[in-house]
């Protein structure tokens, strides 16, 4: 199952096992069962601390599936239904190590909080993933670790593409989808801390108390994407007190699949880059306040005074300067039915959710690079793709258009305005659009709609305080300064053209240097006035 290189790598990883583990396989006659047994055999061959046994399939055991069980304490276990390869191979390796007693690379206070959970009833989580989903491993790994740390928590990861009947019956139309004791718990990327916060309802209040006690910063960065990370690194290197408030460290990079234009790195993936950004920031003395949403900016009451950022949890943070780097999010169509059928056929990530629509009919909304790339990717999975573009021609690069028009199961409709998402109450069944030339209405019967129509800056909370463009972007000058003294901005939330990772990093660095320059000049002016 594994090639020689992977076997060698796996053997090295499994040298970290501290206690014996057992792999229990539940199989049947289908080919995937044979593949899974081959994978498990390779794992067992890689370490004398791993044994492989056959389990007896029963009504509550999916096939193919397997359990990873700690031999000296069977309550410590993790279950995979399917073959956790692709993006999930790392999840498999971590599960093997953690069940085998290897300590996780997680903050100790988070580990303690998981262990301290005492739910009224046992918590059984089930996560549906796809092997091409870059968002799924974070969720799978977080819940696996929780099940290892707390005996009242169990977790099963399920390959949605392999268990299609189950996916249909449970109406799973987006990954990752997490069920708790049979009821929907969450969808989309979530960190361990976010999951813990949803279970431990008092966590937010405790975190607010900790934040409220913090003294003022010299530079406070609001946002944890590429611009925010660069700002934090550049500020910290100046030796000044630096803090980061981030709703989700990594930002939209976490939702990006392949990155091939990050100079000097021929290819990487969003989650990998986001992890590297966070680690780089943590290498410095930076106070990171993750999972915190800013709701209000209060300018200083006097020149050189403290600027305040209020948070959703009720706490507030003060700083002498601010760098706003809140990024952007996927733009929605804004038509009837879109919100109702989000994650029920309306999706925004073709890499994550595409496998769930295998053999079905889908539409892609948007004819830019993102839309055309999505249509090309989906064409290899689904039965039929209809790409709908509002303008009279596609806006994607010529090389992408050539590839698109070469595909036999792709249809392109231009001059089309999507007007409604239709469904049967549980899932998407069709969409309607208006022909902008003939002024006629049309309906397309389908099962999925992938929206790829650009970005919206995350700046609603700044309206009336910071000067914004008609598109909602923060107006900045060449130095990254806003109309408010001491407040800088950088990245996709600003008027800086070309929303690219490498540009955001440069702009974030520039904004931080401008913040430092502001601190120096105000300090000098204060000294002169005092004299």
């Amino acid at each position: 199952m594994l090639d020689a290189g992977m076997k060698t790598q796996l053997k090295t990883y499994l040298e970290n096992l501290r206690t014996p583990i057992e792999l229990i396989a539940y199989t049947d006659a289908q080919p995937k069962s044979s593949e899974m047994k081959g994978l498990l055999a390779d794992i067992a061959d890689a370490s004398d601390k791993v044994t492989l046994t056959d389990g007896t399939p029963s009504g509550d055991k999916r096939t193919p599936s397997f359990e990873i069980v700690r031999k000296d304490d069977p309550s410590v276990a993790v279950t995979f239904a399917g073959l956790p390869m692709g993006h999930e191979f790392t999840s498999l390796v971590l599960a093997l190590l953690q069940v085998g007693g290897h300590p996780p690379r997680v903050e100790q206070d988070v580990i303690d909080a998981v262990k301290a959970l005492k739910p009224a009833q046992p918590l059984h989580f089930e996560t549906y993933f796809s092997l091409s989903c870059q968002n799924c491993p974070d969720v799978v790994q977080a819940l696996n670790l929780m099940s290892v740390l707390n005996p009242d928590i169990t977790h099963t990861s399920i390959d949605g593409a392999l268990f299609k009947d189950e996916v249909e019956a449970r109406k799973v139309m987006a990954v990752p989808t997490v069920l708790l004791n049979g009821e929907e718990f969450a969808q989309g990327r979530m960190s361990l801390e976010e999951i813990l916060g949803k279970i431990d309802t008092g966590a937010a209040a405790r975190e607010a108390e900790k934040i409220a006690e913090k003294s003022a910063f010299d530079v406070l960065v609001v946002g944890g994407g590429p611009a925010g990370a660069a700002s934090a690194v550049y500020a910290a290197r100046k030796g000044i007190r630096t803090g980061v408030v981030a709703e989700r460290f990594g930002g939209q990079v976490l939702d990006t699949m392949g990155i091939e234009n990050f100079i000097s790195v021929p290819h990487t993936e969003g989650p990998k880059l986001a992890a590297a950004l966070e680690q780089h920031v943590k290498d410095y003395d930076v106070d990171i306040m993750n999972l915190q949403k800013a709701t209000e900016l209060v300018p200083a009451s006097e020149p050189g005074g403290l600027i305040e950022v209020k948070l959703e949890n009720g706490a507030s943070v003060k700083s002498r300067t601010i760098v706003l780097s809140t990024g952007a999010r996927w733009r929605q169509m804004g038509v009837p039915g879109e919100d109702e059928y989000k994650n029920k056929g309306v999706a925004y990530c073709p890499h994550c959710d595409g496998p769930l629509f295998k053999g079905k009919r889908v539409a892609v909304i948007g004819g830019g690079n993102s839309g055309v790339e999505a249509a090309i990717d989906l064409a290899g999975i689904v039965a039929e793709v209809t790409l709908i573009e509002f303008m009279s021609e596609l806006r994607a690069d010529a090389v992408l258009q050539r590839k698109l028009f070469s595909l036999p199961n792709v249809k392109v409709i231009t001059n089309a305005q999507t007007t409604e998402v239709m469904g049967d109450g549980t899932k998407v069944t069709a969409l309607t659009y208006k022909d902008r030339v003939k002024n006629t209405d049309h309906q397309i019967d389908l099962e999925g709609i992938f929206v790829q129509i650009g970005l919206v800056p995350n700046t609603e909370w700044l309206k009336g305080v910071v000067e914004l463009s008609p598109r909602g972007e923060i107006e900045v000058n060449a130095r990254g300064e806003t109309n408010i003294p001491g407040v800088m901005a950088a990245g996709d939330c600003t008027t800086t053209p070309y929303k690219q990772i490498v540009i955001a990093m440069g702009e974030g660095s520039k904004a931080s240097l401008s913040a430092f320059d502001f601190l120096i000049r105000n300090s000098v002016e204060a000294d002169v006035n005092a004299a």
Side-chain angles (χ1 to χ4, degrees):
M1 179 65 186
L2 300 178
D3 61 33
M6 292 182 73
K7 288 179 181 179
T8 300
Q9 197 173 35
L10 182 63
K11 186 177 180 66
T12 301
Y13 287 140
L14 295 185
E15 289 175 357
N16 293 303
L17 290 174
R18 297 188 175 185
T19 186
I21 61 176
E22 182 178 17
L23 306 178
I24 305 175
Y26 300 92
T27 60
D28 53 21
Q30 63 177 302
K32 285 295 181 182
S33 284
S34 297
E35 289 184 43
M36 188 190 78
K37 282 297 290 288
L39 170 64
L40 299 182
D42 287 344
I43 296 172
D45 289 342
S47 173
D48 58 7
K49 285 189 169 68
V50 182
T51 57
L52 172 60
T53 60
D54 290 322
T56 302
S58 59
D60 63 340
K61 298 296 184 184
R62 298 174 178 87
T63 55
S65 68
F66 64 95
E67 297 173 346
I68 307 171
V69 182
R70 184 176 295 175
K71 275 200 167 183
D72 61 4
D73 184 1
S75 68
V76 180
V78 167
T79 302
F80 287 95
L83 279 78
M85 299 301 289
H87 287 292
E88 292 302 339
F89 186 69
T90 300
S91 302
L92 170 60
V93 173
L94 287 174
L96 292 166
L97 294 176
Q98 290 164 2
V99 173
H102 185 66
R105 297 180 61 182
V106 177
E107 299 292 339
Q108 188 59 46
D109 59 341
V110 177
I111 293 174
D112 293 341
V114 174
K115 289 181 175 180
L117 287 173
K118 298 188 182 302
Q121 61 176 329
L123 305 178
H124 177 55
F125 289 95
E126 297 169 286
T127 300
Y128 290 89
F129 66 85
S130 72
L131 297 179
S132 60
C133 171
Q134 77 271 21
N135 293 324
C136 295
D138 280 1
V139 177
V140 170
Q141 292 165 24
L143 288 168
N144 280 347
L145 178 56
M146 292 180 74
S147 71
V148 169
L149 295 174
N150 192 310
D152 291 323
I153 299 174
T154 56
H155 180 227
T156 299
S157 304
I158 307 157
D159 182 354
L162 190 57
F163 294 89
K164 292 184 67 174
D165 291 344
E166 191 173 321
V167 164
E168 294 281 350
R170 286 184 153 180
K171 299 179 174 61
V172 175
M173 303 192 74
V175 289
T177 288
V178 181
L179 275 61
L180 171 57
N181 295 337
E183 301 294 329
E184 187 173 306
F185 174 77
Q187 287 183 324
R189 177 188 290 274
M190 293 184 73
S191 65
L192 173 56
E193 293 82 358
E194 288 175 287
I195 296 170
L196 182 60
K198 283 178 69 71
I199 300 171
D200 182 3
T201 55
R206 293 194 299 272
E207 187 64 22
E209 290 179 4
K210 287 170 57 177
I211 292 175
E213 294 173 356
K214 296 179 185 292
S215 56
F217 293 95
D218 292 311
V219 176
L220 177 66
V221 181
V222 184
S231 294
V233 168
Y234 266 71
R237 286 175 61 84
K238 295 295 185 183
I240 56 181
R241 181 166 161 74
T242 305
V244 176
V245 169
E247 187 173 356
R248 184 178 66 149
F249 204 101
Q252 198 181 28
V253 168
L254 289 167
D255 303 323
T256 303
M257 185 61 175
I259 299 172
E260 298 178 345
N261 57 357
F262 188 58
I263 310 305
S264 84
V265 181
H267 177 82
T268 188
E269 294 179 350
K272 184 177 180 180
L273 177 59
L277 290 174
E278 186 170 8
Q279 185 55 55
H280 195 177
V281 174
K282 286 181 176 179
D283 287 344
Y284 294 91
D285 186 15
V286 177
D287 190 340
I288 299 176
M289 293 160 276
N290 199 14
L291 307 181
Q292 302 300 324
K293 183 177 182 179
T295 57
E296 185 179 353
L297 178 72
V298 182
S301 57
E302 57 186 24
L306 294 177
I307 305 163
E308 182 179 8
V309 175
K310 296 184 179 181
L311 307 179
E312 190 175 57
N313 64 11
S316 64
V317 192
K318 294 181 179 180
S319 181
R320 296 171 65 193
T321 62
I322 301 286
V323 176
L324 300 170
S325 57
T326 50
R329 62 187 184 277
W330 290 116
R331 183 183 299 277
Q332 293 185 250
M333 296 181 291
V335 301
E338 180 177 17
D339 287 337
E340 180 182 354
Y341 291 102
K342 188 180 297 182
N343 296 324
K344 297 177 182 178
V346 176
Y348 300 86
C349 180
H351 301 292
C352 301
D353 300 331
L356 298 178
F357 295 85
K358 184 177 181 179
K360 298 182 179 180
R361 301 162 299 176
V362 304
V364 173
I365 312 300
N369 282 348
S370 296
V372 172
E373 287 174 352
I376 292 170
D377 289 343
L378 290 166
I381 302 171
V382 305
E384 180 182 301
V385 181
T386 302
L387 187 145
I388 298 177
E389 164 59 31
F390 182 83
M391 303 301 289
S392 60
E393 58 185 28
L394 303 185
R395 295 165 287 113
D397 294 342
V399 63
L400 293 175
Q401 292 195 44
R402 284 196 296 272
K403 175 63 176 177
L404 180 75
F405 286 111
S406 74
L407 300 172
N409 62 335
V410 174
K411 178 182 180 181
V412 176
I413 303 174
T414 56
N415 277 317
Q417 179 180 359
T418 305
T419 52
E420 184 177 1
V421 174
M422 304 176 70
D424 61 8
T426 60
K427 62 182 184 299
V428 167
T429 59
L431 69 75
T432 60
Y433 71 90
K434 180 183 290 293
D435 185 316
R436 298 175 56 240
V437 176
K438 299 178 181 178
N439 197 32
T440 53
D441 295 321
H442 302 268
Q443 178 175 312
I444 303 174
D445 295 329
L446 42 67
E447 289 79 32
I449 301 170
F450 290 83
V451 183
Q452 303 281 291
I453 55 174
L455 303 171
V456 178
N458 297 315
T459 58
E460 291 87 351
W461 64 289
L462 296 168
K463 287 182 179 178
V465 180
V466 177
E467 188 174 324
L468 304 178
S469 73
R471 295 170 57 89
E473 298 169 327
I474 301 171
E475 296 275 6
V476 292
N477 62 16
R479 297 169 58 87
E481 297 168 325
T482 72
N483 62 306
I484 299 176
V487 177
M488 322 301 163
D492 288 1
C493 64
T494 72
T495 51
T496 299
Y498 311 120
K499 313 306 183 187
Q500 299 290 311
I501 292 171
V502 68
I503 292 175
M505 287 182 172
E507 292 297 308
S509 305
K510 181 202 298 182
S512 191
L513 293 173
S514 293
F516 183 66
D517 183 67
F518 178 88
L519 292 172
I520 293 174
R521 292 177 182 276
N522 276 270
S523 176
V524 171
E525 289 180 8
D527 291 343
V528 170
N529 291 335

